[in-house]
């Protein structure tokens, strides 16, 4: 048998033996990490464990086919693969289990994810791209089952773009589009809709994607007969198999304990995907899961004795061991000695990882104890402080919460005292929290020099006799400029290509810039966003279009669990600056006029949420975002595409600032705060209010996340002494978010002479038709009367009751 993962030349039998023995060493090392990791959880040193035991040999075969520049999008069973490509050491494995917050010790997530969630560094310490073609890449894992699949699609599509679109600087990102995106998923998780949506999309797009399905016949405790028709995922997906007349998948099956066949299968899959740009599915069957699903239970509870006996015999490591002996690659004595050595290496690695985790905390506790001793000696309440100190000292394996909890409680006993020791402890706590809190909270957004906050505003400029055009024309001309300025930019979505989107904001751009850059997709919102995430992770600048805001619900899980957390869960070492374009707000009917902003604001922290009132503002947001490195959701006004706007003469260059409000009308009596389509109603109401002597100031929020970073709203309230938030979301939604920002973040309460008010939509979805809109969401009359009522309360004589 010929096996040569590292070169394309022949190797000697001795070299072959060395390689096989090294593979076995990796497999046994990974298994020992799993076994010892479970014990660490059960003894309390770690919180939870989920391991890759039983999948070692297939992952080693996979690693041999994985080349520099390739990307992985997997799940929490792939530890052996990460070890095999040299991106996970024993110490790092246990550092992840202990949640070490030092990214040098725990490079997978700096303790932010549970063990088993793997990634590599795509960015340097400054948030700039590394050369991804010179390293083996793993996109950061997420826990939701099948959640890795949409991103996998985009990682694969990037290779197609790099291979076929000219003019992109590919230096750091691709070598002629030859990279494969490799995905992994458990057999039970193939029941998820995200799996089927991705499989279909990849078959349509014909991208270099290889998906491995690890099949051990169970999903946690539930057998495949309850999961999959025919109990066989590749059997029911046979219709995707390509043939001489139809494009599709190459579908391969292999037993997960058969070392030589696994290597051959993965080499064949790589060749097909890399050269032909055809997706490949590898169904890896007859796998085992020796410790069950996780540390939360034992598989003896749900597997019968026959199954357990079979798993012991067909354990992939056991099978490789027997194969090596039968083929004179090693003796039983040799392997026993090797296994004994590995056990010691894993134990030593575990001890080193624990020391690296606990020693800094012990040093921090020592500082705290010294301060508490001094405080106790100087305080009449020293006996109580001494107890806190002794309790802290008695903890064998303290956590940071133990340290800061004890010191903060100690301050309560000296609150009325004025001593140097009290001041010293106060300062230490403040410094400690300022140093420790970022270990758990940093990088929700970009902290690089490409942050949106480093993008200066560029106002649109106009010719003296600038013509007025439909708002869609401003967008169209700006997108045209974007695609000309940024070769790496592209847009895709339902009806985005041939017809130029449903509102003609992309009219004619597919013909000009090509089908790969302005493209149609199927009706599949989750994988539209997934395409964008994966491509953005590989240096492209995608704009993923979701036709209507209401339908973003299909993609909300992917946006929330994946896109919003990329920077955070990698502590700034990966990014996905995807722009999600949609349109929403007021139109007609239940599913075309939703404004579920409250839910969106709660679920996608980590993504900027931008709500421009017109298409010029929207175009400016796109220009700003393409100069930054952060993801955003841009909600265009659905009823604004045909409204007239002046056409700027600096198309593609003007930039709307993010996080900055705009005062669109100055006034003295009350501040009215709104955004999007509703702002036009507020402006009209303000004109009508002026007719009865009420001078309202109108502020356009523009950006909900981030919100008013300059605190301009409170400056307005300091002048008017009252305010109202008008929002087409339901009560308790975005209006409550804005109210909280104004009152609790900007401290506007100190300037108020009247109760702050919110005016929101009815709790039901909007009914169909113009009347449905009028009676479901705030109208001009609603706004007028609500503001009038505030002024009536202030001065009934000047503003008699209306009704």
């Amino acid at each position: 048998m010929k096996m040569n993962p590292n070169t394309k030349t022949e190797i000697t039998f001795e070299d072959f033996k060395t390689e096989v023995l090294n593979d076995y060493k990796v497999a046994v090392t990974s298994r020992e990490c799993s076994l010892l990791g479970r014990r660490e959880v059960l003894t309390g040193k770690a919180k939870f464990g989920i391991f890759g035991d039983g999948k070692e040999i297939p992952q080693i075969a996979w690693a041999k086919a994985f080349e520099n520049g390739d990307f992985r999008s997997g799940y929490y069973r792939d530890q052996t693969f990460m070890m095999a490509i040299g991106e996970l050491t024993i110490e790092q494995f246990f550092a992840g289990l202990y949640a070490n917050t030092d990214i040098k010790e725990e490079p997978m997530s700096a303790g932010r994810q549970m063990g088993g969630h793997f990634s590599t560094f795509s960015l340097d310490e400054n948030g700039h791209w590394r050369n991804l073609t010179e390293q083996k890449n793993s996109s950061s894992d997420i826990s939701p089952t099948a959640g890795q699949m949409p991103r996998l699609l985009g990682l694969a599509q990037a290779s197609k773009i790099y291979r076929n679109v000219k003019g992109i600087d590919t230096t750091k990102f691709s070598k002629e589009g030859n990279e494969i995106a490799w995905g992994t998923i458990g057999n039970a998780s193939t029941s998820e809709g995200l799996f089927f949506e991705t499989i279909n999309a990849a078959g349509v797009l014909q991208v270099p994607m290889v998906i491995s399905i690890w099949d051990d016949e169970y999903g946690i405790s539930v057998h495949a007969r309850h999961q999959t028709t025919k109990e066989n995922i590749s059997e029911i997906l046979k219709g995707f198999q390509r043939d001489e007349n139809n494009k599709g998948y190459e579908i391969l099956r292999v037993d997960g304990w058969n070392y030589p066949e696994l290597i051959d299968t993965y080499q064949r899959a790589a060749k097909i995907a890399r050269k032909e740009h055809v997706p490949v599915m590898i169904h890896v069957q007859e796998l085992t899961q020796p410790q069950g699903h996780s540390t939360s239970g034992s598989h003896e509870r749900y597997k019968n004795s026959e199954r357990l006996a079979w798993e012991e015999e067909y354990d992939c490591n056991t099978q490789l061991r027997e194969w090596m002996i039968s083929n004179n690659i090693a003796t039983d004595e040799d392997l026993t000695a090797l296994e004994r050595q590995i056990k010691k290496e894993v134990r030593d690695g575990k001890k080193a990882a624990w020391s690296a985790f606990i020693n800094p905390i012990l040093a921090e506790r020592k500082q705290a104890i010294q301060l508490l001793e001094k405080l106790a000696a100087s305080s009449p309440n020293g006996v109580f402080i001494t107890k806190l100190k002794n309790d802290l000292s008695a903890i064998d394996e303290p956590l940071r919460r133990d340290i800061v909890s004890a010191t903060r409680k100690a301050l309560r006993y000296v609150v009325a005292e004025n001593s140097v020791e009290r001041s010293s402890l106060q300062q230490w706590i403040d410094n400690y929290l300022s140093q420790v809190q970022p270990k758990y909270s940093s990088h929700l957004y970009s902290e690089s020099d490409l942050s949106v906050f480093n993008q200066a505003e560029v106002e649109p400029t106009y010719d003296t006799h600038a013509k007025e055009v439909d708002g869609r024309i401003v967008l169209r001309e700006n997108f045209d400029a974007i695609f000309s300025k940024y070769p790496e930019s592209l847009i895709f979505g339902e009806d985005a290509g041939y017809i130029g989107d449903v509102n003609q904001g992309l009219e004619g751009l597919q013909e000009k810039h090509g089908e790969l850059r302005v493209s149609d997709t199927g009706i599949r919102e989750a994988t539209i966003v997934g395409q964008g995430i994966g491509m953005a992770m590989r240096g492209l600048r995608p704009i993923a279009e979701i036709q209507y805001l209401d339908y973003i619900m299909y993609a909300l899980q992917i946006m929330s669990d994946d896109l919003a957390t990329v920077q955070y869960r990698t502590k700034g070492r990966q990014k996905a600056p995807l722009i999600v374009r949609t349109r929403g707000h007021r139109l007609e009917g239940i599913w075309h006029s939703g404004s579920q902003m409250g839910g969106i604001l709660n679920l996608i922290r980590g993504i900027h949420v931008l709500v421009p009132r017109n298409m010029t503002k929207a175009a400016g947001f796109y220009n700003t975002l393409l100069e930054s490195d952060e993801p955003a959701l841009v909600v265009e006004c659905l009823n604004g595409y045909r409204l007239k706007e002046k056409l700027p003469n600096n198309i593609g260059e003007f930039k709307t600032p993010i996080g900055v409000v705009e005062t669109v009308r100055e006034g003295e009596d009350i501040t009215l705060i709104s955004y999007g389509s509703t702002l036009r109603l507020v402006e009209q109401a303000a004109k009508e209010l002026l007719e009865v002597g009420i001078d309202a100031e109108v502020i356009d929020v523009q950006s909900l996340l981030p919100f008013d970073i300059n605190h301009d709203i409170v400056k307005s309230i300091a002048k008017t002494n009252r305010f109202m938030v008008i929002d087409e979301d339901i009560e308790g939604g975005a209006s409550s978010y804005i109210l909280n920002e104004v009152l609790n973040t900007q401290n506007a309460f100190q300037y108020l002479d009247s109760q702050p008010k919110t005016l929101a939509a009815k709790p039901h979805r909007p009914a169909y038709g113009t009347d449905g809109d009028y009676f479901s969401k705030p109208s001009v009359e609603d706004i007028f009367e609500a503001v009038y009522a505030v002024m009536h309360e202030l001065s009934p004589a000047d503003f008699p009751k209306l009704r």
Side-chain angles (χ1 to χ4, degrees):
M1 181 185 67
K2 187 194 304 181
M3 272 191 327
N4 186 12
N6 300 317
T7 67
K8 300 301 181 183
T9 60
E10 298 290 339
I11 60 174
T12 66
F13 183 68
E14 288 303 314
D15 289 337
F16 170 72
K17 285 175 56 177
T18 299
E19 185 169 337
V20 175
L21 281 166
N22 183 67
D23 289 346
Y24 185 68
K25 181 176 181 180
V26 173
V28 175
T29 299
S30 179
R31 179 65 61 87
E32 289 298 322
C33 285
S34 296
L35 296 173
L36 189 53
R38 182 181 181 87
R39 287 198 288 271
E40 290 298 278
V41 173
L42 298 180
T43 58
K45 280 189 174 180
K47 296 289 288 185
F48 181 79
I50 194 160
F51 307 111
D53 47 308
K55 282 78 178 172
E56 292 91 350
I57 305 307
Q59 291 181 22
I60 287 170
W62 165 27
K64 292 176 182 295
F66 196 94
E67 296 184 2
N68 284 351
D70 287 358
F71 260 87
R72 168 190 168 273
S73 182
Y75 82 135
Y76 40 72
R77 303 287 186 196
D78 294 344
Q79 71 195 46
T80 309
F81 168 79
M82 295 298 291
M83 290 178 173
I85 65 170
E87 292 294 338
L88 181 68
T89 66
I90 296 168
E91 289 81 359
Q92 290 166 350
F93 172 89
F94 285 100
L97 201 60
Y98 301 141
N100 193 321
T101 57
D102 185 341
I103 199 165
K104 294 178 181 178
E105 300 287 341
E106 203 283 272
M108 299 301 118
S109 73
R112 296 180 177 189
Q113 298 216 74
M114 69 176 71
H117 293 69
F118 305 113
S119 66
T120 53
F121 291 173
S122 296
L123 310 177
D124 62 22
E125 293 180 352
N126 299 314
H128 296 167
W129 290 110
R130 298 172 65 171
N131 191 327
L132 304 184
T133 70
E134 296 179 349
Q135 63 183 45
K136 294 177 171 63
N137 303 286
S138 174
S139 61
S140 176
D141 295 338
I142 59 175
S143 288
T145 56
Q148 71 274 25
M149 293 295 293
R151 178 190 346 124
L152 172 64
L153 178 66
L155 291 169
Q157 189 181 2
S159 290
K160 184 173 183 178
I161 299 298
Y162 282 127
R163 177 172 285 190
N164 295 287
V165 175
K166 307 302 180 185
I168 304 175
D169 182 1
T170 63
T171 304
K172 293 184 176 181
F173 305 110
S174 180
K175 292 185 177 179
E176 300 179 343
N178 289 326
E179 300 80 20
I180 296 173
W182 301 82
T184 64
I185 191 168
N187 59 297
S189 295
T190 63
S191 300
E192 295 277 10
L194 292 175
F195 171 80
F196 284 95
E197 188 172 319
T198 302
I199 291 297
N200 181 61
V204 170
L205 291 171
Q206 289 291 285
V207 290
M209 178 182 102
V210 180
I211 177 73
S212 296
I213 301 170
W214 307 139
D215 190 348
D216 57 26
E217 291 193 17
Y218 285 86
I220 308 183
S221 66
V222 180
H223 191 267
R225 64 179 175 272
H226 302 298
Q227 306 271 4
T228 308
T229 302
K230 300 183 179 181
E231 300 182 29
N232 189 316
I233 187 64
S234 61
E235 179 68 20
I236 65 172
L237 293 178
K238 284 196 301 187
F240 284 91
Q241 174 67 51
R242 64 177 180 160
D243 56 41
E244 58 184 21
N245 298 316
N246 298 285
K247 295 179 179 180
Y249 276 76
E250 189 64 37
I251 301 178
L252 308 174
R253 297 182 186 180
V254 63
D255 292 331
W257 47 264
N258 193 320
Y259 175 73
E261 287 192 9
L262 283 162
I263 292 173
D264 179 66
T265 299
Y266 275 91
Q267 294 296 323
R268 284 195 293 134
K271 183 177 180 181
I272 293 168
R274 202 178 303 281
K275 299 302 180 184
E276 301 179 47
H277 269 212
V278 170
V280 181
M281 184 187 309
I282 304 176
H283 186 186
V284 185
Q285 301 173 289
E286 297 197 2
L287 286 169
T288 68
Q289 198 152 279
Q291 298 186 108
H293 174 76
S294 69
T295 54
S296 62
S298 172
H299 65 154
E300 283 87 354
R301 294 167 56 197
Y302 53 85
K303 292 176 183 175
N304 60 33
S305 58
E306 290 79 7
R307 174 69 192 191
L308 291 170
W310 180 90
E311 290 201 5
E312 185 174 354
E313 180 181 357
Y314 281 91
D315 180 284
C316 60
N317 286 13
T318 300
Q319 287 287 314
L320 176 57
R321 192 183 198 279
E322 293 176 358
W323 180 85
M324 292 167 67
I325 294 171
S326 65
N327 284 277
N328 298 318
I329 293 172
T331 65
D332 179 74
E333 292 76 12
D334 293 335
L335 296 181
T336 299
L338 178 61
E339 291 155 2
R340 190 178 299 115
Q341 173 193 335
I342 291 170
K343 285 178 181 289
K344 182 179 184 305
E345 290 176 0
V346 172
R347 286 196 301 269
D348 291 345
K350 186 257 315 181
K351 291 176 183 176
W354 179 252
S355 295
F357 169 75
I358 199 65
N359 286 344
I361 299 176
L362 293 175
E364 294 161 12
R365 179 176 69 172
K366 183 177 180 181
Q367 293 176 352
I369 286 172
Q370 290 172 347
L371 289 166
L372 290 174
E373 286 175 343
K374 292 178 181 179
L375 186 68
S378 68
S379 173
N381 290 318
V383 63
F384 302 108
I385 298 167
T386 297
K387 184 180 185 307
L388 287 172
K389 185 259 303 183
N390 290 340
D391 289 345
L392 179 59
S393 300
I395 301 174
D396 291 332
E397 295 166 348
L399 299 173
R400 288 193 169 99
R401 72 172 186 185
D402 300 319
I403 299 169
V404 75
S405 176
T407 51
R408 291 169 76 178
K409 287 179 179 177
L411 282 181
R412 302 173 190 175
Y413 294 111
V414 294
V415 65
E417 300 176 20
N418 186 16
S419 65
V420 172
E421 291 78 11
R422 176 197 175 200
S423 297
S424 295
L425 184 62
Q426 286 175 320
Q427 184 177 5
W428 185 88
I429 293 171
D430 289 343
N431 291 338
Y432 187 72
L433 288 173
S434 68
Q435 293 169 13
V436 168
Q437 188 64 51
K439 295 179 184 293
Y440 308 95
S441 304
S442 71
H443 292 91
L444 180 59
Y445 299 96
S446 172
E447 298 184 11
S448 79
D449 58 350
L450 297 173
S451 162
V452 295
F453 300 124
N454 293 328
Q455 308 306 317
E457 178 180 12
V458 177
E459 294 185 358
T461 57
Y462 301 90
D463 294 332
T464 304
H465 301 291
K467 62 179 179 179
E468 290 197 340
V469 297
D470 290 346
R472 73 173 186 90
I473 300 298
V474 177
L475 274 178
R476 185 193 67 189
E477 297 303 299
N478 197 75
F479 279 129
D480 186 19
I482 283 172
F483 298 140
S484 299
K485 182 178 181 180
Y486 303 100
E488 66 275 18
S489 65
L490 64 158
I491 192 166
F492 47 92
E494 299 159 15
D495 302 303
Y498 186 73
I499 69 168
D501 89 38
V502 289
N503 297 102
Q504 298 290 278
L506 299 169
E507 180 188 24
L509 297 187
Q510 184 183 82
E511 183 177 0
K512 181 174 182 179
H513 296 283
E515 291 187 14
L516 287 175
R517 297 190 64 198
V518 183
S519 56
D520 290 307
T521 69
I523 299 176
R524 47 174 181 78
E525 285 80 6
T527 46
I528 290 172
V529 171
Q531 284 176 250
I533 296 171
M535 286 193 280
M537 282 184 157
R538 292 192 57 191
L540 295 170
R541 293 310 309 264
I543 302 171
E545 180 171 317
I546 303 298
Q547 196 159 96
Y548 297 109
L549 179 64
D550 301 77
Y551 301 147
I552 212 162
M553 302 296 281
Y554 283 103
L556 198 53
Q557 183 265 323
I558 292 300
M559 292 178 67
S560 178
D561 290 330
D562 196 351
L563 181 61
T565 66
V566 170
Q567 288 256 5
Y568 172 75
R569 72 180 190 263
T570 63
K571 202 175 183 180
R573 290 308 183 93
Q574 289 188 4
K575 62 183 176 183
L578 166 65
I579 300 171
V580 179
R581 179 196 183 205
T582 191
R583 51 193 64 83
H585 308 311
R586 313 179 78 108
L587 192 65
E588 307 294 347
I590 293 175
W591 288 287
H592 290 80
S593 56
S595 186
Q596 58 272 39
M597 300 307 298
I600 289 170
L601 290 170
N602 277 291
L603 290 169
I604 65 170
R605 299 299 171 99
I607 301 174
H608 297 310
V609 178
L610 311 178
V611 283
R613 69 179 182 271
N614 59 37
M615 301 311 157
T616 303
K617 290 291 184 180
F621 277 138
Y622 292 121
N623 297 337
T624 301
L625 290 166
L626 285 166
E627 292 291 315
S628 77
D629 65 351
E630 301 186 64
L633 170 66
V634 181
V635 185
E636 298 167 7
C637 293
L638 187 50
N639 58 4
Y641 294 105
R642 303 292 172 178
L643 297 180
K644 299 300 181 182
E645 299 181 34
K646 288 185 177 181
L647 183 65
N649 59 20
N650 60 340
I651 284 286
E653 301 299 327
F654 61 88
K655 295 193 289 186
T656 307
I658 291 175
V660 178
V661 305
E662 182 178 352
T663 300
V664 297
R665 186 187 187 283
E666 294 190 356
E668 300 293 331
D669 295 329
I670 188 170
T671 300
L672 305 182
I673 305 164
S674 192
Y675 62 88
S677 295
T678 303
L679 191 87
R680 292 196 290 274
L681 304 185
V682 174
E683 289 183 283
Q684 178 60 37
K687 291 179 183 178
E688 297 178 12
L689 285 164
L690 192 60
E691 296 173 1
V692 296
I694 300 173
D695 188 14
E697 184 146 300
V698 178
I699 293 180
D700 180 7
V701 168
Q702 299 197 104
S703 169
L704 287 166
L705 288 176
F707 183 86
D708 190 13
I709 59 175
N710 298 322
H711 289 193
D712 289 326
I713 290 177
V714 74
K715 297 170 189 173
S716 172
I717 295 169
K719 176 178 64 174
T720 65
N721 306 119
R722 52 193 61 85
F723 77 95
M724 180 180 294
V725 180
I726 301 96
D727 177 32
E728 62 175 293
D729 194 6
I730 63 169
E731 292 179 352
S735 57
S736 293
Y737 163 78
I738 294 171
L739 194 67
N740 176 72
E741 287 290 321
V742 174
L743 290 178
N744 293 329
T745 302
Q746 299 188 14
N747 297 319
F749 65 89
Q750 61 187 312
Y751 300 112
L752 292 176
D753 292 338
S754 300
Q755 177 185 346
K757 296 285 187 178
T758 62
L759 178 61
K762 298 296 187 291
H764 54 75
R765 293 286 188 100
Y768 175 65
T770 302
D771 279 347
D773 175 78
Y774 186 90
F775 291 103
S776 302
K777 294 186 177 184
S779 65
V780 172
E781 288 71 35
D782 291 333
I783 299 166
F784 182 99
E785 292 178 6
V787 173
Y788 189 92
V790 172
M791 303 306 292
H792 165 74
E793 181 181 300
L794 173 70
S795 179
D798 293 327
F799 304 101
K801 188 173 182 179
L802 275 175
R803 61 183 179 89

